[in-house]
Amino acid sequence: MSEITISRLTRRYGAITAVDGIDLVVHEGEFLSLLGPSGCGKTTTLRCIAGLEPPDAGRITIGGAVMAHGEGGLSVPPNKRGLGMVFQSYALWPHMRVYANVAYPLKVRGVPRAEIRGRVRDALRLVGLEELHERATSELSGGQQQRVALARALVSKPRVLLLDEPLSNLDSSLRAHMRREIRRIHREIRTTSVYVTHDQLEAATLSDRVVVMNRGRIEQIGTPREIFGAPANRWVAEFVGYDNFIEAEVTRGSPAALSVRPKGWPTGLTCGVPDRARQFPVGARVTLAIRGGSFRGDAAPETSSLKAQVADAMYVGDLTEYVLDAYGTRLVARLDERAAGGAAGRLEVGSAVELFVAPDQIVVLAA
Amino acid sequence: MGPRLAKGALVLLVGFVFIWPIAMLVIGIFSSTPPGVPGHWTLDTVTRTFSSRYTYAALQNSVIYALTTTALATLLGAIFAFLATRTTVALRGLITPVMLLVFAAPNLFYAISWALLADPGAGLLNVATRFVSGGDWSPFNAYSWAGLIVVQTLKLTGFCYLLLLGPFESMNRSFEEASLIAGAGRLATVFRIDIPLMTPALFGVVIIGTVFGLGAFDIPQILGGLPQISVLSTEIFKAVNFSVPPDYARASALALFMVAALAVLLAVQWRVVKLGRFVTVTGKGYKQDRWDIGRWSALGTAAIVAYALVSLLLPVTQLVLTAFQPTIGIWGMTLKNFGVVLADRQTLGAFRTTAELAILGGFIAMSLAMLIGHVGRRSGKWLERYLETATLSPIVMPGVVLAIGLMWAYVSIPGLRRLYATFGLTLIGLVVVVMPIASRAVRGALAQIARELEEAAAVSGASSARVLVDIVLRLSSRSFAAGWLVTAVIAAGALDVPLMLLPSTRPNVAVLVYTHIISGVPTQASALLVLLLAAIVGVALLYVALSGLVGLVSRLRVRSAYRAA
């Protein structure tokens, strides 16, 4: 019994509304991410679930029991909620060793000492740190501190695990490793988890579902595939990395595909229609969202083609980013150099190029 | 007790301890009778006090005293802070330790040692002058305006220096570098960049110094008596102790006058510091590069030596010499004085009283400050501000003023009337006096504790009391101990509050020293003072040794505990 329901949750700081009436259900055993830029309200939402902030309005229940009720002035204190939490700064107590840090949640709950020892060992084993239990926390690396924080959050077998940007203080290679570790641990224990992040990759790789937040409101809720492949609106599309937004008009519709013609283009594009029922009649104005990486240099079945001039080329490591002029529209495309230039080799600035894009790579949004 | 109720109780307690005495001062001046005696409302006191020429003479003296000593002390403090932080002058490492000692040494020590040092007959300074000049020229006399100002300046310099050290250290070098690159010379940079940048900090120090100068009691009381130089604080003392019957209303009026003046000064200072804080302190680490001041280096070193000499070495030497002299001015070594003071039954009691006042007072002040700081941090803006202002309010209540306020405050409440002239009331008085320092120490320590450390404990299942004990207290225990030491040392050396509040049958050491000086036995006063200072130094050394030992033991114990586990 650990389902979290949030209804009309609102939290204000003076004149600023950090969380603006959101509704959300986190299912039992689910790993849910709150994704959004800083200031979007994701951390505030998490802190309201934790009981570290009282909501101004709305209700939060965990496992059916009301934890907070803004209008009623009720907020069960965090120590009475039975949670585990990993903080952005890890918040390991510097006056306690690793063992004592992990043992603390059991100690304050009055668990017998003999049992504590076994459970701390189990928790440290789960995060792969059994050997380091007598270290001072200052003697640990960032990644190790992160694991201790995770062990401490899990040792009391909480109903809900809350994670507040736990990986943001790690360097990129360690972050990738810890991402896999968190995924592994969640698979193992299946604790209902809420994970706050501004990193799309973390949200995509870890979550069963992602909640995209902006300005205190929820923009979209869905599986990572839905969020990244079919963003609900332009803001989400931009946030998850779509770089090209093209205004267009629907010219022909069928159950399987939609033909559109961007403004000022002599040629049209074919888009796949997402299975989420979204009907655009012929003549409707739409915005097309296309990732720079969705363009390709060679044709394939059902791809649309477009012709463009290279305005700028920038080498960005494994790919080259081209700024293109397609019939007066500026486009950004990221391509493998050889694939783009074909036999001719690299594309020079000023040269003409023909690019192709698959129907399922074009997202149709309301204009 | 629910958390809300506990918070309410704390708010009331803080209000009673810190605000009520000030409020009672106001009420006191309109009362026709002493504290605790029913009377009627009257304006007599106000008109009497503010039409008396003694009031204005004292006020004038206070202002002269406070302004000259502050100006001199700030100048000296700034010079030494500059030498310590920005130059390569030899012995610069000595400045901070010397200043800390000066700051920690009781006012009583300065008053008495300098009274002896510049004694026209037997003082070391005059003896040396006579020896060098070969005549009977004795130019030094501490019982004079010059004496008052020099002694207060020496003492105040330590405080001003410590206040200026931070701003000087954190002065952003890039401002200076930009000036140098723009073509200004070193000296031009000092005058056009450094001094303007430091102006807010200097101004703040001037204000705080003036506040302390206006409130000073021990030094003017001891040195100003003979030449009949009275200042506000000694007038207040006189109104209560030398008038028959004690003129509490006049004392209150003078006290309130002082509180108002100090409050205005502090309000000005807060505005300035608020504006100035962001000017010089960037909080960013940068390389501190020191300036070789060339020919001036020797002068700087000489200034350091001279200051150490007159502020510490000479007074201590004189005090110790006198303590061992059979009679003042008679050269010779004897333990007679120590024998006499130790044989006195009152002495042992006085040491016990001083120890109890210092240790208990320091502990209570630090505990209260910790509780207030912790609650303040977790409260709304207004409550936090109220608690902070209340704990800083004793700054506007110098010892004598506070003593009058406390008499009114406690005697006016039937159940608490029994506290009048007791150890208990003196203890409360000292707790209030050291509170600003205690809360400063606590605030620094609490600011170091990241909020998440407390939140992590709460989420782990710890109640808020448990969070305070397991996390906050444990993490600030070292600061707590250090603050306890500092507040205890201040309480141990304080003369004003005990002199006015302790029962005359139960003096503490400072009061006893004062009594000996007043009754003309400086040798015994010196012996007692030497014993007091030795005890304070002993406790400080014990603290250093213990804190080292605690660190070592806890490291060893933790290791072995984990081995066993």
Side-chain angles (χ1 to χ4, degrees):
Chain A
M1 283 293 285
S2 62
E3 184 181 76
I4 306 170
T5 63
I6 297 171
S7 50
R8 293 175 294 101
L9 177 71
T10 301
R11 173 73 178 149
R12 300 185 196 92
Y13 300 107
I16 300 157
T17 302
V19 177
D20 194 0
I22 66 168
D23 294 293
L24 183 64
V25 176
V26 188
H27 304 301
E28 180 142 9
E30 187 180 29
F31 196 111
L32 181 113
S33 290
L34 301 177
L35 175 68
S38 57
C40 72
K42 56 190 192 297
T43 293
T44 306
T45 304
L46 190 79
R47 289 172 64 84
C48 286
I49 299 175
L52 295 168
E53 312 244 351
D56 291 308
R59 244 162 57 113
I60 300 173
T61 69
I62 300 177
V66 178
M67 289 292 132
H69 188 256
E71 288 83 354
L74 169 80
S75 184
V76 174
N79 51 317
K80 303 266 168 62
R81 293 195 182 194
L83 310 170
M85 181 160 174
V86 178
F87 290 81
Q88 185 171 7
S89 65
Y90 320 140
L92 299 181
W93 301 299
H95 60 299
M96 298 182 194
R97 304 263 150 177
V98 168
Y99 180 90
N101 261 288
V102 178
Y104 190 82
L106 300 177
K107 216 174 94 186
V108 296
R109 291 185 169 100
V111 175
R113 189 181 282 220
E115 191 186 333
I116 291 181
R117 203 172 300 162
R119 285 175 67 178
V120 170
R121 197 181 304 125
D122 290 345
L124 285 172
R125 187 180 300 139
L126 182 67
V127 299
L129 278 187
E130 280 178 277
E131 305 304 313
L132 300 182
H133 64 96
E134 62 176 77
R135 288 276 184 90
T137 53
S138 57
E139 294 168 350
L140 301 178
S141 69
Q144 288 168 335
Q145 290 186 24
Q146 181 60 75
R147 288 159 189 266
V148 174
L150 199 55
R152 183 179 66 186
L154 292 172
V155 72
S156 63
K157 301 209 180 2
R159 297 189 286 175
V160 171
L161 176 64
L162 305 174
L163 303 105
D164 184 9
E165 307 218 17
L167 305 185
S168 61
N169 286 340
L170 300 176
D171 61 44
S172 63
S173 64
L174 204 52
R175 208 179 308 157
H177 179 69
M178 280 307 295
R179 222 163 41 218
R180 285 191 290 274
E181 282 289 288
I182 291 176
R183 195 180 155 88
R184 172 185 68 76
I185 290 166
H186 183 253
R187 291 264 159 94
E188 208 165 306
I189 57 174
R190 288 284 168 202
T191 304
T192 307
S193 305
V194 181
Y195 186 101
V196 161
T197 183
H198 62 267
D199 185 309
Q200 312 163 28
L201 195 59
E202 283 174 20
T205 52
L206 289 170
S207 319
D208 297 317
R209 282 192 305 153
V210 177
V211 177
V212 183
M213 291 184 69
N214 180 33
R215 297 184 181 191
R217 292 169 189 265
I218 293 175
E219 295 278 352
Q220 188 175 4
I221 304 179
T223 64
R225 224 167 264 287
E226 286 166 345
I227 301 283
F228 290 88
N233 57 43
R234 176 158 179 165
W235 190 88
V236 175
E238 268 183 62
F239 187 72
V240 300
Y242 283 77
D243 0 43
N244 298 299
F245 294 90
I246 306 161
E247 284 176 42
E249 194 186 310
V250 177
T251 51
R252 194 161 56 86
S254 80
L258 210 59
S259 293
V260 295
R261 188 198 301 249
K263 240 193 204 159
W265 287 27
T267 163
L269 299 170
T270 308
C271 323
V273 176
D275 26 75
R276 263 179 300 157
R278 216 199 275 147
Q279 294 300 322
F280 296 100
V282 172
R285 300 198 157 279
V286 294
T287 298
L288 309 176
I290 308 172
R291 288 179 187 272
S294 295
F295 294 105
R296 25 193 309 160
D298 48 347
E302 294 175 25
T303 52
S304 311
S305 90
L306 59 108
K307 292 202 169 67
Q309 251 95 47
V310 178
D312 197 5
M314 192 165 51
Y315 183 58
V316 291
D318 48 350
L319 295 172
T320 303
E321 186 172 295
Y322 295 97
V323 178
L324 306 171
D325 182 344
Y327 319 112
T329 305
R330 259 186 191 269
L331 296 179
V332 173
R334 271 185 302 278
L335 301 164
D336 188 313
E337 267 181 4
R338 279 158 306 166
R346 280 171 49 200
L347 284 172
E348 299 297 336
V349 173
S351 58
V353 61
E354 182 173 21
L355 292 174
F356 303 90
V357 56
D360 62 351
Q361 299 289 312
I362 303 176
V363 178
V364 186
L365 303 168
Chain B
M1 194 162 37
R4 206 164 285 179
L5 208 61
K7 200 181 263 190
L10 184 69
V11 166
L12 285 180
L13 176 74
V14 166
F16 179 70
V17 173
F18 298 101
I19 314 280
W20 183 242
I22 301 182
M24 280 311 292
L25 277 180
V26 182
I27 295 171
I29 59 174
F30 298 113
S31 167
S32 62
T33 48
V37 181
H40 55 89
W41 301 110
T42 172
L43 277 173
D44 278 2
T45 318
V46 181
T47 44
R48 182 159 50 89
T49 304
F50 293 104
S51 63
S52 157
R53 70 188 171 82
Y54 293 110
T55 303
Y56 292 98
L59 174 65
Q60 190 188 342
N61 286 343
S62 272
V63 169
I64 294 172
Y65 181 71
L67 288 183
T68 39
T69 55
T70 302
L72 292 171
T74 306
L75 183 67
L76 284 176
I79 291 172
F80 284 119
F82 176 74
L83 290 177
T85 56
R86 315 309 305 270
T87 68
T88 56
V89 164
L91 296 183
R92 61 174 189 272
L94 211 62
I95 302 176
T96 302
V98 166
M99 293 294 180
L100 280 171
L101 285 174
V102 169
F103 174 69
N107 280 311
L108 185 66
F109 160 73
Y110 274 92
I112 289 180
S113 61
W114 267 87
L116 298 168
L117 202 50
D119 183 272
L124 274 183
L125 291 178
N126 288 316
V127 172
T129 311
R130 285 199 295 269
F131 180 77
V132 171
S133 68
D136 54 0
W137 188 44
S138 306
F140 298 100
N141 181 8
Y143 298 101
S144 64
W145 262 114
L148 275 176
I149 286 173
V150 167
V151 176
Q152 183 72 47
T153 300
L154 286 177
K155 170 72 179 155
L156 202 54
T157 299
F159 183 66
C160 293
Y161 169 84
L162 293 175
L163 284 181
L164 285 171
L165 198 58
F168 269 86
E169 266 175 348
S170 55
M171 196 150 64
N172 191 335
R173 274 290 292 153
S174 61
F175 293 141
E176 290 181 5
E177 282 162 359
S179 161
L180 292 174
I181 287 165
R186 216 74 210 238
L187 205 61
T189 301
V190 167
F191 279 102
R192 307 185 76 137
I193 304 295
D194 291 346
I195 291 180
L197 276 177
M198 295 306 291
T199 302
L202 286 169
F203 187 73
V205 171
V206 165
I207 298 267
I208 294 270
T210 310
V211 166
F212 276 77
L214 280 177
F217 171 75
D218 302 4
I219 292 172
Q221 176 67 17
I222 289 169
L223 297 181
L226 223 50
Q228 301 203 324
I229 300 167
S230 69
V231 293
L232 279 178
S233 53
T234 60
E235 276 299 296
I236 294 171
F237 179 75
K238 232 188 282 176
V240 173
N241 286 277
F242 296 160
S243 314
V244 183
D247 193 348
Y248 286 102
R250 176 174 155 79
S252 311
L254 291 170
L256 197 66
F257 194 30
M258 195 128 104
V259 168
L262 300 187
V264 168
L265 283 176
L266 279 181
V268 172
Q269 192 257 351
W270 273 332
R271 286 216 68 82
V272 170
V273 168
K274 226 173 171 178
L275 293 173
R277 186 173 294 155
F278 305 100
V279 178
T280 51
V281 181
T282 59
K284 219 176 139 194
Y286 53 89
K287 196 170 63 96
Q288 180 70 257
D289 95 302
R290 290 173 178 277
W291 182 13
D292 182 354
I293 54 173
R295 288 175 295 144
W296 294 86
S297 289
L299 199 64
T301 305
I304 296 168
V305 171
Y307 182 76
L309 206 63
V310 295
S311 69
L312 285 180
L313 290 179
L314 283 179
V316 169
T317 309
Q318 177 71 62
L319 193 71
V320 172
L321 271 181
T322 310
F324 285 100
Q325 280 176 348
T327 313
I328 181 147
I330 306 297
W331 295 100
M333 289 287 281
T334 172
L335 286 172
K336 188 194 75 176
N337 300 317
F338 291 95
V340 172
V341 295
L342 288 177
D344 187 347
R345 272 194 309 130
Q346 254 190 340
T347 307
L348 226 54
F351 270 97
R352 190 183 309 129
T353 304
T354 294
E356 285 169 1
L357 284 175
I359 292 168
L360 267 178
F363 183 78
I364 295 171
M366 287 303 294
S367 305
L368 192 57
M370 191 64 86
L371 189 63
I372 291 171
H374 181 66
V375 171
R377 245 156 72 96
R378 320 171 120 239
S379 304
K381 194 176 68 180
W382 286 104
L383 184 55
E384 185 175 15
R385 197 166 292 175
Y386 161 75
L387 291 173
E388 189 178 330
T389 311
T391 52
L392 290 180
S393 66
I395 296 178
V396 301
M397 287 191 287
V400 278
V401 173
L402 175 70
I404 301 288
L406 284 180
M407 285 181 199
W408 282 111
Y410 287 75
V411 171
S412 64
I413 292 174
L416 297 174
R417 193 165 301 164
R418 283 175 304 141
L419 279 173
Y420 179 73
T422 58
F423 175 84
L425 190 58
T426 316
L427 185 64
I428 294 173
L430 287 174
V431 166
V432 175
V433 163
V434 299
M435 201 58 194
I437 291 171
S439 68
R440 264 312 254 283
V442 164
R443 188 151 318 133
L446 289 183
Q448 300 279 317
I449 302 173
R451 272 212 84 108
E452 291 197 338
L453 293 177
E454 292 174 46
E455 290 174 354
V459 174
S460 296
S463 64
S464 53
R466 191 101 202 227
V467 173
L468 177 61
V469 174
D470 283 354
I471 309 298
V472 178
L473 280 182
R474 284 298 316 277
L475 283 174
S476 54
S477 59
R478 274 172 176 270
S479 306
F480 186 94
W484 187 6
L485 178 73
V486 170
T487 48
V489 166
I490 292 171
L495 171 65
D496 43 13
V497 172
L499 186 60
M500 292 190 66
L501 293 181
L502 269 182
S504 53
T505 50
R506 196 183 170 185
N508 72 346
V509 181
V511 171
L512 210 53
V513 169
Y514 173 75
T515 315
H516 283 310
I517 275 287
I518 293 297
S519 46
V521 269
T523 47
Q524 289 175 24
S526 301
L528 259 182
L529 198 49
V530 166
L531 289 175
L532 177 63
L533 294 179
I536 291 175
V537 170
V539 169
L541 290 179
L542 194 68
Y543 166 80
V544 172
L546 271 182
S547 65
L549 202 65
V550 166
L552 195 70
V553 167
S554 70
R555 238 164 298 155
L556 290 176
R557 201 179 49 193
V558 164
R559 291 225 182 268
S560 58
Y562 285 112
R563 293 273 139 70

